[in-house]
Amino acid sequence: QVHLVESGGGLVQAGGSVRLSCAASGRTFSNYAMGWFRQAPGKERLFVAFITRSGGGTYYADSVKGRFTISRDNAKNTVTLQMNSLKPEDTGVYYCAAGLSGGGSSRYLYDYWGQGTQVTVSS
């Protein structure tokens, strides 16, 4: 079992920045690829970014490339999502997820999820 807790969400103006963090506990953190997903009200949960177990590979949704950066610290069991140049369409609940299979853009590749943190970008 892996327990994930997100933090860092809030209200920000368009063009601003927010840094999300996800703290993991339980199983060996470095065994899991880590992902971030976003869910807007009434919409499905969509892929934002993921990072490989070692942190050597990062992948992003086209909509956030060049604006968001995912990173991890395996010594501290944390993964972060730095979000810059935010747009109103980035609004939603952001979920951290852990995947034993190696990660990817599909939410079905992830085994554990956090409770989510709200990010609201005002125009």
Side-chain angles (χ1 to χ4, degrees), residues 5-44:
V5 179
E6 302 96 335
S7 60
L11 175 64
V12 62
Q13 287 190 330
S17 298
V18 168
R19 184 178 180 88
L20 303 182
S21 294
C22 175
S25 60
R27 299 285 179 90
T28 304
F29 181 67
S30 58
N31 286 348
Y32 293 84
M34 299 299 297
W36 285 97
F37 288 73
R38 172 175 70 215
Q39 188 166 20
K43 301 288 183 64
E44 63 178 320

Side-chain angles (χ1 to χ4, degrees), residues 52-70:
T52 57
R53 297 180 184 93
S54 66
T58 57
Y59 303 86
Y60 300 92
D62 288 342
S63 60
V64 307
K65 279 181 184 175
R67 300 189 297 123
F68 291 11
T69 302
I70 187 172

Side-chain angles (χ1 to χ4, degrees), residues 1-122:
Q1 187 81 8
V2 176
H3 185 55
L4 302 172
V5 179
E6 302 96 335
S7 60
L11 175 64
V12 62
Q13 287 190 330
S17 298
V18 168
R19 184 178 180 88
L20 303 182
S21 294
C22 175
S25 60
R27 299 285 179 90
T28 304
F29 181 67
S30 58
N31 286 348
Y32 293 84
M34 299 299 297
W36 285 97
F37 288 73
R38 172 175 70 215
Q39 188 166 20
K43 301 288 183 64
E44 63 178 320
R45 194 170 298 186
L46 297 177
F47 169 72
V48 174
F50 90 90
I51 189 166
T52 57
R53 297 180 184 93
S54 66
T58 57
Y59 303 86
Y60 300 92
D62 288 342
S63 60
V64 307
K65 279 181 184 175
R67 300 189 297 123
F68 291 11
T69 302
I70 187 172
S71 60
R72 68 188 295 162
D73 186 333
N74 285 345
K76 296 182 178 179
N77 290 1
T78 58
V79 60
T80 61
L81 185 68
Q82 178 67 44
M83 305 189 294
N84 299 329
S85 302
L86 283 162
K87 305 175 181 180
E89 51 264 43
D90 294 320
T91 293
V93 178
Y94 281 73
Y95 295 91
C96 169
L100 196 57
S101 64
S105 59
S106 170
R107 60 180 177 166
Y108 299 107
L109 295 173
Y110 295 86
D111 306 290
Y112 301 100
W113 294 83
Q115 82 290 347
T117 186
Q118 176 71 43
V119 174
T120 302
V121 184
S122 62

